[in-house]
Amino acid sequence: MRVAIAGAGAVGRSIAAELLENGHEVLLIDKAPTAISVERVPMAEWLLADACEITSLDEAALQRCNVVIASTGDDKVNLVVSLLAKTEYGVPRVVARVNNPKNEWLFNESWGVDVAVSTPRLMSALVEEAVSVGDLVRLLRFSHGDANLVELTLPPESALAGIRVSDVDWPEDTSLVTIIRGTRVLTPSPEETLEAGDELLFVAAQAREEQLEDLLSVRRETAED
């Protein structure tokens, strides 16, 4: 897979190194000469250019890329790169970094963004995920279909504890994609039984999040109840 990364700062270089380690072809683009540090990621291609300019993206052969990642520290630049990648070059997958959470609403398909990654939101979500049981935590937003990656830790008193995945009447427009149980990552087969303490990851339409949270937090009836 060929990936172009706009922004060769610490974030861009880290992403590049990870992708290269996984066997992908990576091009790093940055207009600042000081950012061109070939020795830090020697296996990557490097291009000194302004990723907001069509001529630069032509030189980068963006039409050959499977993925473009806009990872600069400037939201305006990331939006322009995303829009050009999608509309001018037809890049199948565009991922954009959101630096200011106030700008997150802009990072959608109208600007060519398939996946928006907000570092402040993600860090906040991870803090919430670490301390919240029974509360739905939004981890990542996907532009297409207005869907989010959300997580909920199944509380001990949940009525779904001990129930098979196939026996749950899940809301529409939601999909259980992973169960994290201790150190294990489980594929949620129909016969898998949910357990208290399971971390459940869903891709869900935003309109269904409240319904999903209500379903998972319903208390099991007890003799005292």
Side-chain angles (χ1 to χ4, degrees):
M1 182 171 68
R2 179 173 173 81
V3 182
I5 301 174
V11 173
R13 293 195 305 270
S14 295
I15 297 170
E18 186 77 19
L19 290 171
L20 287 163
E21 188 175 327
N22 291 331
H24 301 295
E25 182 182 348
V26 177
L27 168 66
L28 279 160
I29 308 170
D30 206 295
K31 67 178 182 179
T34 54
I36 306 300
S37 304
V38 178
E39 70 281 356
R40 295 192 180 187
V41 194
M43 298 300 293
E45 298 176 48
W46 290 79
L47 178 62
L48 177 61
D50 186 346
C52 291
E53 297 288 341
I54 289 288
T55 53
S56 300
L57 300 181
D58 284 343
E59 186 178 354
L62 222 66
Q63 69 278 2
R64 292 177 44 225
C65 292
N66 306 99
V67 180
V68 164
I69 301 173
S71 68
T72 78
D74 188 324
D75 284 345
K76 296 187 295 296
V77 171
N78 291 342
L79 285 171
V80 171
V81 170
S82 298
L83 184 62
L84 291 175
K86 184 65 71 175
T87 60
E88 297 296 324
Y89 299 92
V91 177
R93 189 74 162 170
V94 177
V95 180
R97 171 187 175 188
V98 184
N99 296 279
N100 186 341
K102 292 181 179 179
N103 297 330
E104 191 173 4
W105 66 276
L106 288 166
F107 286 74
N108 55 39
E109 58 185 355
S110 297
W111 281 91
V113 179
D114 295 306
V115 180
V117 182
S118 171
T119 303
R121 177 180 289 279
L122 183 57
M123 292 180 70
S124 174
L126 290 173
V127 170
E128 292 180 25
E129 186 271 335
V131 299
S132 302
V133 174
D135 294 328
L136 186 142
V137 177
R138 188 180 300 167
L139 299 177
L140 193 65
R141 180 176 61 82
F142 302 99
S143 297
H144 292 307
D146 193 28
N148 299 309
L149 177 66
V150 299
E151 183 272 350
L152 186 142
T153 300
L154 200 64
E157 68 275 10
S158 173
L160 297 188
I163 303 298
R164 293 187 307 176
V165 170
S166 60
D167 292 334
V168 180
D169 186 16
W170 300 108
E172 293 183 5
D173 303 322
T174 66
S175 177
L176 175 62
V177 293
T178 304
I179 300 172
I180 302 175
R181 183 174 296 154
T183 59
R184 301 171 61 202
V185 178
L186 307 175
T187 300
S189 67
E191 300 303 313
E192 186 66 50
T193 299
L194 300 175
E195 296 182 5
D198 282 351
E199 292 183 50
L200 307 177
L201 272 67
F202 297 86
V203 173
Q206 186 168 333
R208 300 293 183 181
E209 289 181 2
E210 185 175 351
Q211 186 179 352
L212 181 62
E213 184 173 21
D214 289 344
L215 172 67
L216 294 168
S217 60
V218 170
R219 295 185 59 187
R220 182 191 299 112
E221 293 185 2
T222 64
E224 292 182 0
D225 293 337

mmCIF file of all heavy atoms in Angstrom, residues 194-212:
data_model
loop_
_atom_site.group_PDB
_atom_site.id
_atom_site.type_symbol
_atom_site.label_atom_id
_atom_site.label_comp_id
_atom_site.label_asym_id
_atom_site.label_seq_id
_atom_site.Cartn_x
_atom_site.Cartn_y
_atom_site.Cartn_z
ATOM 1 N N LEU A 194 -21.165 -12.764 26.521
ATOM 2 C CA LEU A 194 -20.670 -11.528 27.121
ATOM 3 C C LEU A 194 -20.436 -11.731 28.615
ATOM 4 O O LEU A 194 -21.199 -12.434 29.282
ATOM 5 C CB LEU A 194 -21.680 -10.400 26.897
ATOM 6 C CG LEU A 194 -22.000 -10.062 25.441
ATOM 7 C CD1 LEU A 194 -23.103 -9.009 25.372
ATOM 8 C CD2 LEU A 194 -20.757 -9.589 24.707
ATOM 9 N N GLU A 195 -19.375 -11.105 29.120
ATOM 10 C CA GLU A 195 -19.047 -11.213 30.537
ATOM 11 C C GLU A 195 -18.896 -9.824 31.146
ATOM 12 O O GLU A 195 -18.489 -8.877 30.456
ATOM 13 C CB GLU A 195 -17.745 -12.000 30.729
ATOM 14 C CG GLU A 195 -17.812 -13.446 30.272
ATOM 15 C CD GLU A 195 -16.508 -14.197 30.530
ATOM 16 O OE1 GLU A 195 -15.600 -13.595 31.161
ATOM 17 O OE2 GLU A 195 -16.394 -15.359 30.108
ATOM 18 N N ALA A 196 -19.220 -9.726 32.422
ATOM 19 C CA ALA A 196 -19.018 -8.465 33.135
ATOM 20 C C ALA A 196 -17.541 -8.079 33.062
ATOM 21 O O ALA A 196 -16.664 -8.918 33.207
ATOM 22 C CB ALA A 196 -19.451 -8.607 34.590
ATOM 23 N N GLY A 197 -17.286 -6.815 32.802
ATOM 24 C CA GLY A 197 -15.918 -6.332 32.678
ATOM 25 C C GLY A 197 -15.395 -6.347 31.256
ATOM 26 O O GLY A 197 -14.311 -5.810 30.994
ATOM 27 N N ASP A 198 -16.148 -6.947 30.325
ATOM 28 C CA ASP A 198 -15.737 -6.926 28.917
ATOM 29 C C ASP A 198 -15.720 -5.493 28.406
ATOM 30 O O ASP A 198 -16.638 -4.706 28.671
ATOM 31 C CB ASP A 198 -16.713 -7.725 28.051
ATOM 32 C CG ASP A 198 -16.519 -9.227 28.153
ATOM 33 O OD1 ASP A 198 -15.515 -9.658 28.760
ATOM 34 O OD2 ASP A 198 -17.363 -9.966 27.613
ATOM 35 N N GLU A 199 -14.670 -5.143 27.659
ATOM 36 C CA GLU A 199 -14.651 -3.873 26.942
ATOM 37 C C GLU A 199 -15.196 -4.143 25.553
ATOM 38 O O GLU A 199 -14.604 -4.896 24.781
ATOM 39 C CB GLU A 199 -13.230 -3.310 26.859
ATOM 40 C CG GLU A 199 -12.666 -2.872 28.198
ATOM 41 C CD GLU A 199 -11.292 -2.246 28.051
ATOM 42 O OE1 GLU A 199 -11.148 -1.340 27.194
ATOM 43 O OE2 GLU A 199 -10.367 -2.670 28.751
ATOM 44 N N LEU A 200 -16.323 -3.549 25.225
ATOM 45 C CA LEU A 200 -16.997 -3.788 23.959
ATOM 46 C C LEU A 200 -16.777 -2.593 23.037
ATOM 47 O O LEU A 200 -17.072 -1.459 23.399
ATOM 48 C CB LEU A 200 -18.491 -3.995 24.191
ATOM 49 C CG LEU A 200 -18.878 -5.059 25.235
ATOM 50 C CD1 LEU A 200 -20.390 -5.107 25.402
ATOM 51 C CD2 LEU A 200 -18.323 -6.427 24.843
ATOM 52 N N LEU A 201 -16.260 -2.859 21.846
ATOM 53 C CA LEU A 201 -16.036 -1.809 20.861
ATOM 54 C C LEU A 201 -17.048 -1.957 19.728
ATOM 55 O O LEU A 201 -17.208 -3.045 19.166
ATOM 56 C CB LEU A 201 -14.617 -1.873 20.293
ATOM 57 C CG LEU A 201 -13.543 -1.100 21.071
ATOM 58 C CD1 LEU A 201 -13.304 -1.741 22.433
ATOM 59 C CD2 LEU A 201 -12.245 -1.024 20.297
ATOM 60 N N PHE A 202 -17.727 -0.863 19.436
ATOM 61 C CA PHE A 202 -18.760 -0.848 18.404
ATOM 62 C C PHE A 202 -18.444 0.231 17.368
ATOM 63 O O PHE A 202 -17.842 1.260 17.687
ATOM 64 C CB PHE A 202 -20.129 -0.482 18.999
ATOM 65 C CG PHE A 202 -20.673 -1.449 19.998
ATOM 66 C CD1 PHE A 202 -20.326 -1.354 21.343
ATOM 67 C CD2 PHE A 202 -21.566 -2.453 19.612
ATOM 68 C CE1 PHE A 202 -20.837 -2.235 22.284
ATOM 69 C CE2 PHE A 202 -22.086 -3.338 20.544
ATOM 70 C CZ PHE A 202 -21.719 -3.235 21.877
ATOM 71 N N VAL A 203 -18.868 -0.026 16.136
ATOM 72 C CA VAL A 203 -19.040 1.047 15.169
ATOM 73 C C VAL A 203 -20.539 1.317 15.140
ATOM 74 O O VAL A 203 -21.338 0.409 14.860
ATOM 75 C CB VAL A 203 -18.530 0.657 13.772
ATOM 76 C CG1 VAL A 203 -18.889 1.744 12.768
ATOM 77 C CG2 VAL A 203 -17.016 0.463 13.795
ATOM 78 N N ALA A 204 -20.909 2.554 15.467
ATOM 79 C CA ALA A 204 -22.333 2.861 15.634
ATOM 80 C C ALA A 204 -22.661 4.231 15.064
ATOM 81 O O ALA A 204 -21.852 5.164 15.167
ATOM 82 C CB ALA A 204 -22.712 2.811 17.114
ATOM 83 N N ALA A 205 -23.850 4.333 14.482
ATOM 84 C CA ALA A 205 -24.347 5.637 14.060
ATOM 85 C C ALA A 205 -24.542 6.517 15.293
ATOM 86 O O ALA A 205 -24.980 6.032 16.343
ATOM 87 C CB ALA A 205 -25.669 5.477 13.311
ATOM 88 N N GLN A 206 -24.213 7.777 15.164
ATOM 89 C CA GLN A 206 -24.295 8.668 16.316
ATOM 90 C C GLN A 206 -25.703 8.702 16.901
ATOM 91 O O GLN A 206 -25.883 8.774 18.118
ATOM 92 C CB GLN A 206 -23.850 10.075 15.910
ATOM 93 C CG GLN A 206 -23.758 11.040 17.080
ATOM 94 C CD GLN A 206 -23.043 12.318 16.702
ATOM 95 O OE1 GLN A 206 -22.216 12.335 15.796
ATOM 96 N NE2 GLN A 206 -23.359 13.405 17.383
ATOM 97 N N ALA A 207 -26.703 8.600 16.047
ATOM 98 C CA ALA A 207 -28.085 8.654 16.508
ATOM 99 C C ALA A 207 -28.464 7.448 17.351
ATOM 100 O O ALA A 207 -29.476 7.463 18.059
ATOM 101 C CB ALA A 207 -29.023 8.763 15.309
ATOM 102 N N ARG A 208 -27.644 6.376 17.288
ATOM 103 C CA ARG A 208 -27.956 5.148 18.020
ATOM 104 C C ARG A 208 -27.153 5.007 19.307
ATOM 105 O O ARG A 208 -27.344 4.037 20.054
ATOM 106 C CB ARG A 208 -27.679 3.931 17.133
ATOM 107 C CG ARG A 208 -28.498 3.888 15.850
ATOM 108 C CD ARG A 208 -29.968 3.682 16.128
ATOM 109 N NE ARG A 208 -30.746 3.577 14.897
ATOM 110 C CZ ARG A 208 -32.050 3.414 14.874
ATOM 111 N NH1 ARG A 208 -32.728 3.361 16.000
ATOM 112 N NH2 ARG A 208 -32.693 3.323 13.714
ATOM 113 N N GLU A 209 -26.271 5.947 19.584
ATOM 114 C CA GLU A 209 -25.372 5.800 20.733
ATOM 115 C C GLU A 209 -26.137 5.738 22.054
ATOM 116 O O GLU A 209 -25.840 4.907 22.913
ATOM 117 C CB GLU A 209 -24.361 6.944 20.755
ATOM 118 C CG GLU A 209 -23.320 6.843 19.652
ATOM 119 C CD GLU A 209 -22.308 7.971 19.716
ATOM 120 O OE1 GLU A 209 -22.406 8.812 20.646
ATOM 121 O OE2 GLU A 209 -21.426 8.022 18.841
ATOM 122 N N GLU A 210 -27.103 6.617 22.229
ATOM 123 C CA GLU A 210 -27.861 6.635 23.479
ATOM 124 C C GLU A 210 -28.640 5.336 23.661
ATOM 125 O O GLU A 210 -28.686 4.767 24.764
ATOM 126 C CB GLU A 210 -28.811 7.832 23.504
ATOM 127 C CG GLU A 210 -29.562 7.983 24.832
ATOM 128 C CD GLU A 210 -30.415 9.238 24.872
ATOM 129 O OE1 GLU A 210 -30.292 10.079 23.956
ATOM 130 O OE2 GLU A 210 -31.222 9.371 25.817
ATOM 131 N N GLN A 211 -29.225 4.842 22.579
ATOM 132 C CA GLN A 211 -29.969 3.588 22.627
ATOM 133 C C GLN A 211 -29.047 2.418 22.975
ATOM 134 O O GLN A 211 -29.406 1.539 23.766
ATOM 135 C CB GLN A 211 -30.628 3.345 21.263
ATOM 136 C CG GLN A 211 -31.565 2.142 21.220
ATOM 137 C CD GLN A 211 -32.202 1.979 19.854
ATOM 138 O OE1 GLN A 211 -32.076 2.837 18.978
ATOM 139 N NE2 GLN A 211 -32.879 0.856 19.657
ATOM 140 N N LEU A 212 -27.848 2.431 22.414
ATOM 141 C CA LEU A 212 -26.875 1.377 22.695
ATOM 142 C C LEU A 212 -26.428 1.427 24.154
ATOM 143 O O LEU A 212 -26.346 0.388 24.833
ATOM 144 C CB LEU A 212 -25.667 1.536 21.771
ATOM 145 C CG LEU A 212 -24.548 0.497 21.900
ATOM 146 C CD1 LEU A 212 -25.060 -0.895 21.573
ATOM 147 C CD2 LEU A 212 -23.385 0.869 20.981
#
